Amino acid sequence: IKSIGVLTSGGDAPGMNAAIRAVVRACIYNDLRVFGVMRGYQGLIDNDIEELHSNSVSNIIQSGGTILKSARSMEFKTQEGREKAYDNLRKRDIDALVVIGGDGTFTGARIFGQEHNFPIVGIPGTIDNDLYGTDYTIGYDTALNTVVEAVDKIRDTATAHSRLFFIEVMGRDAGFLALRSGIASGAEAVLVPEVRTDFDQLEHFLQNGFKKNKTSSIVLVAEGDEIGGAIKIADKVGKEHPEYDVRVTILGHIQRGGSPSAFDRVSASRMGLSAVEALMDDQKSIMIGLANNQIVHTPFNQALKNKKALNPQLLEMTKILSI
Ligand code: F6P
């Protein structure tokens, strides 16, 4: 391998820049040329590609977003789109790719890699932390801290007015962000898609709290929760309990931005370096991950086929600690 392309695809996540930086610097250190592909797979199709140098990635480790921009390309889902992408890679003599993103990104990489026998290594970058094969995805820790900071602020006003807040967090169809931020912010309850919402139990927690003269209650709701998000749940609880002064906050895309945490910067740097080393070692169609603080490799097939489970101990803990 002489030349590597790098791209970010799907929803951006804080720490993607740190990963790009690590890929670029690791390539240069190993005398490989490195090319940045703009707007994910769409940039491959549009030939929006430029060579990167060590100083192209100076001063970006601390920035959120992605200097390569991101997109969800519909055209890459077609064979014609992928043919164009392959031609552009060949024209520039790029012989391997590092793709940074989530399951959509790896689905594209798996198909493209097979179709053209092209070496691709993935780095997990998503605030959702929903990828099998890694304990942590890049961006998750930063998003977690953003949520906790926001919930702490909401707690102040909730307490001042003795209110019940339903706070909706991102995560698509996974509850990792909701579960951990719920524990870290001392939420009275956490509702996640992985567990059926038990309204009786929720009411029990809330009533218990108000009986004990709790001056506020916070329920964290994952956006993918089966009931359909915080607004619907708040509506139901508010109707059944007019005595509660209910409010809803949807945190939204604030969770995707901001300067990456030290943890995300270090993980991204480790994964970026390992991705380049894996390609130099002739590996392909694998995702780099962190398991028990060690770098591990998981084939795309496995990473995409398996569903990462929420930690049952953490789930149980939310109940125990909110009595
Ligand atoms: O996958 C990251 C994520 O932020 C999810 O948590 C969320 O459901 C989705 O992306 C939002 O996508 P968009 O930015 O396209 O609205």
Side-chain angles (χ1 to χ4, degrees):
I1 279 175
K2 292 199 176 67
S3 169
I4 290 178
V6 56
L7 61 82
T8 49
S9 161
D12 64 315
M16 280 184 163
N17 279 327
I20 296 166
R21 174 180 176 272
V23 170
V24 170
R25 297 262 164 100
C27 282
I28 293 167
Y29 180 84
N30 288 293
D31 292 325
L32 301 171
R33 292 178 77 188
V34 57
F35 290 84
V37 180
M38 301 302 291
R39 294 175 291 113
Y41 294 122
Q42 196 56 43
L44 273 187
I45 295 169
D46 299 340
N47 202 12
D48 197 357
I49 302 170
E50 62 176 275
E51 185 156 7
L52 299 175
H53 307 280
S54 186
N55 65 5
S56 316
V57 291
S58 299
N59 217 1
I60 65 165
I61 196 167
Q62 74 279 26
S63 325
T66 156
I67 59 161
L68 296 177
K69 296 186 177 287
S70 193
R72 296 185 172 110
S73 170
M74 296 313 286
E75 214 181 332
F76 197 71
K77 292 189 176 167
T78 67
Q79 202 170 356
E80 293 91 317
R82 293 193 295 274
E83 292 289 341
K84 276 192 214 161
Y86 182 70
D87 288 346
N88 288 329
L89 285 167
R90 286 275 60 109
K91 267 186 226 147
R92 288 182 188 258
D93 287 326
I94 296 174
D95 31 38
L97 274 179
V98 175
V99 298
I100 308 168
D103 55 355
T105 307
F106 300 152
T107 303
R110 185 174 58 91
I111 296 169
F112 185 79
Q114 263 171 10
E115 218 165 51
H116 296 283
N117 189 24
F118 198 86
I120 309 183
V121 168
I123 296 178
T126 163
I127 63 164
D128 302 340
N129 200 34
D130 58 346
L131 285 166
Y132 179 89
T134 189
D135 293 343
Y136 298 105
T137 57
I138 296 167
Y140 173 59
D141 183 65
T142 306
L144 206 49
N145 283 292
T146 302
V147 173
V148 171
E149 201 187 321
V151 176
D152 287 350
K153 287 181 176 155
I154 292 169
R155 177 78 79 179
D156 290 343
T157 172
T159 305
H161 289 269
S162 302
R163 280 176 170 159
L164 163 60
F165 268 83
F166 289 89
I167 303 176
E168 184 176 303
V169 302
M170 280 188 168
R172 207 180 288 272
D173 50 7
F176 296 95
L177 206 47
L179 177 57
R180 250 178 211 259
S181 56
I183 292 169
S185 59
E188 276 60 39
V190 179
L191 306 183
V192 292
E194 291 84 347
V195 180
R196 201 182 55 80
T197 300
D198 183 340
F199 268 99
D200 293 342
Q201 196 172 51
L202 176 64
E203 288 192 9
H204 173 75
F205 280 132
L206 296 176
Q207 276 172 353
N208 226 5
F210 281 105
K211 256 191 241 142
K212 283 189 301 186
N213 277 337
K214 265 199 182 172
T215 51
S216 66
S217 279
I218 303 273
V219 178
L220 279 200
V221 184
E223 64 177 351
D225 177 79
E226 49 160 354
I227 311 290
I231 294 177
K232 283 199 179 148
I233 292 170
D235 228 44
K236 187 168 155 68
V237 173
K239 277 198 187 107
E240 280 166 27
H241 293 277
E243 70 275 21
Y244 296 157
D245 192 4
V246 177
R247 291 290 185 279
V248 175
T249 302
I250 297 174
L251 294 181
H253 284 79
I254 195 171
Q255 297 162 91
R256 288 250 292 271
S259 179
S261 67
F263 182 85
D264 274 331
R265 296 182 200 191
V266 174
S267 304
S269 302
R270 291 178 74 185
M271 292 191 203
L273 172 60
S274 304
V276 173
E277 287 173 350
L279 285 171
M280 289 170 60
D281 200 21
D282 289 333
Q283 307 223 34
K284 53 165 82 168
S285 294
I286 54 155
M287 182 192 85
I288 303 291
L290 274 175
N292 300 320
N293 202 24
Q294 298 298 316
I295 290 284
V296 290
H297 296 172
T298 305
F300 282 148
N301 275 337
Q302 293 292 322
L304 291 167
K305 197 172 65 191
N306 294 298
K307 191 169 159 59
K308 183 156 90 183
L310 287 180
N311 182 337
Q313 286 170 348
L314 295 188
L315 274 172
E316 185 58 24
M317 199 163 104
T318 60
K319 290 182 199 142
I320 297 171
L321 299 187
S322 71
I323 53 161

Coordinates of all heavy atoms in Angstrom, one line a residue, residues 13-18 60-65 138-139 141-143 145 257-266 268:
A13 N -19.4 13.4 14.6 CA -19.3 13.2 16.1 C -18.0 13.9 16.5 O -17.0 13.9 15.8 CB -19.2 11.7 16.3
P14 N -18.0 14.5 17.7 CA -16.8 15.2 18.2 C -15.7 14.2 18.4 O -15.9 13.1 19.0 CB -17.2 15.7 19.6 CG -18.7 15.7 19.6 CD -19.2 14.6 18.7
G15 N -14.5 14.5 17.8 CA -13.4 13.6 17.9 C -13.1 13.0 16.5 O -12.0 12.4 16.3
M16 N -14.0 13.3 15.5 CA -13.7 12.8 14.2 C -12.4 13.5 13.7 O -11.6 12.9 13.0 CB -14.8 13.1 13.2 CG -15.9 12.1 13.3 SD -17.2 12.4 12.1 CE -18.1 10.8 12.1
N17 N -12.2 14.8 14.0 CA -11.0 15.5 13.5 C -9.8 14.9 14.1 O -8.7 14.8 13.5 CB -11.1 17.0 13.9 CG -12.0 17.7 12.9 OD1 -12.0 17.4 11.7 ND2 -12.7 18.8 13.4
A18 N -9.9 14.5 15.4 CA -8.7 13.9 16.0 C -8.3 12.6 15.3 O -7.2 12.2 15.2 CB -9.0 13.6 17.5
I60 N -6.5 21.0 14.8 CA -7.9 20.5 14.6 C -8.3 19.5 15.7 O -9.4 19.2 15.8 CB -8.2 19.9 13.2 CG1 -7.3 18.6 13.0 CG2 -7.9 20.8 12.1 CD1 -7.8 17.7 11.9
I61 N -7.3 19.1 16.5 CA -7.6 18.0 17.5 C -8.7 18.4 18.5 O -9.5 17.6 19.0 CB -6.3 17.5 18.2 CG1 -6.6 16.2 18.9 CG2 -5.8 18.6 19.2 CD1 -5.3 15.5 19.4
Q62 N -8.8 19.7 18.7 CA -9.7 20.3 19.7 C -11.1 20.7 19.1 O -12.0 21.1 19.8 CB -9.1 21.5 20.4 CG -9.0 22.8 19.6 CD -7.8 22.8 18.6 OE1 -7.3 21.8 18.2 NE2 -7.4 24.0 18.3
S63 N -11.2 20.5 17.8 CA -12.5 21.0 17.2 C -13.5 19.9 16.9 O -13.1 18.8 16.5 CB -12.2 21.6 15.8 OG -11.0 22.3 15.8
G64 N -14.8 20.2 17.2 CA -15.9 19.3 16.9 C -16.1 19.3 15.4 O -15.4 20.0 14.6
G65 N -17.1 18.6 14.9 CA -17.4 18.6 13.5 C -16.4 17.7 12.8 O -15.7 16.9 13.4
I138 N -16.2 7.0 19.0 CA -15.7 8.4 19.1 C -16.9 9.3 19.1 O -17.8 9.2 18.2 CB -14.8 8.7 17.9 CG1 -13.5 7.8 17.9 CG2 -14.4 10.2 17.8 CD1 -12.8 7.8 16.6
G139 N -16.9 10.2 20.0 CA -18.0 11.2 20.1 C -18.9 10.9 21.3 O -19.6 11.8 21.8
D141 N -18.4 9.9 24.4 CA -18.0 10.5 25.7 C -18.3 12.0 25.8 O -18.8 12.6 26.7 CB -16.5 10.2 26.0 CG -16.1 10.8 27.4 OD1 -16.6 10.2 28.4 OD2 -15.3 11.7 27.4
T142 N -18.0 12.7 24.6 CA -18.2 14.2 24.6 C -19.7 14.4 24.7 O -20.2 15.3 25.4 CB -17.6 14.7 23.3 OG1 -16.3 14.4 23.2 CG2 -17.8 16.3 23.3
A143 N -20.5 13.7 23.9 CA -22.0 13.9 23.9 C -22.5 13.6 25.3 O -23.4 14.4 25.8 CB -22.6 13.0 22.9
N145 N -21.1 14.1 28.1 CA -20.8 15.2 29.0 C -21.6 16.4 28.6 O -22.0 17.2 29.5 CB -19.3 15.6 28.9 CG -18.4 14.6 29.7 OD1 -18.5 14.6 31.0 ND2 -17.7 13.7 29.1
G257 N -22.3 18.6 18.8 CA -21.2 19.5 18.6 C -20.3 19.6 19.8 O -20.4 18.9 20.7
G258 N -19.4 20.6 19.7 CA -18.5 20.9 20.8 C -17.1 20.3 20.7 O -16.9 19.4 19.9
S259 N -16.2 20.8 21.5 CA -14.8 20.4 21.5 C -14.8 18.9 22.1 O -15.4 18.7 23.2 CB -14.0 21.3 22.4 OG -12.7 20.9 22.5
P260 N -14.1 18.0 21.5 CA -14.1 16.6 22.0 C -13.4 16.5 23.4 O -12.5 17.3 23.7 CB -13.3 15.8 21.0 CG -12.6 16.8 20.2 CD -13.4 18.1 20.2
S261 N -13.9 15.6 24.2 CA -13.3 15.4 25.5 C -11.9 14.8 25.3 O -11.6 14.2 24.3 CB -14.2 14.4 26.3 OG -14.2 13.1 25.7
A262 N -11.1 14.8 26.4 CA -9.8 14.2 26.3 C -9.9 12.7 26.0 O -9.1 12.2 25.2 CB -9.1 14.4 27.7
F263 N -10.9 12.1 26.6 CA -11.1 10.6 26.3 C -11.4 10.4 24.8 O -10.7 9.5 24.2 CB -12.3 10.1 27.1 CG -12.5 8.6 27.0 CD1 -11.8 7.7 27.7 CD2 -13.4 8.1 26.0 CE1 -12.0 6.3 27.6 CE2 -13.6 6.8 25.9 CZ -12.9 5.9 26.6
D264 N -12.2 11.2 24.2 CA -12.5 11.0 22.8 C -11.3 11.3 21.9 O -11.0 10.6 20.9 CB -13.7 11.9 22.3 CG -15.0 11.2 22.6 OD1 -15.1 9.9 22.5 OD2 -16.0 11.9 22.8
R265 N -10.5 12.3 22.3 CA -9.3 12.7 21.5 C -8.3 11.5 21.6 O -7.7 11.2 20.6 CB -8.7 13.9 22.1 CG -9.5 15.1 22.0 CD -8.8 16.4 22.5 NE -9.7 17.4 22.8 CZ -9.3 18.7 23.1 NH1 -8.1 19.0 23.1 NH2 -10.2 19.6 23.4
V266 N -8.1 10.9 22.8 CA -7.2 9.9 22.9 C -7.6 8.6 22.1 O -6.9 8.0 21.4 CB -6.9 9.5 24.4 CG1 -5.9 8.3 24.5 CG2 -6.2 10.8 25.1
A268 N -9.7 8.5 19.6 CA -9.7 8.7 18.2 C -8.2 8.6 17.7 O -8.0 8.1 16.6 CB -10.2 10.1 17.9

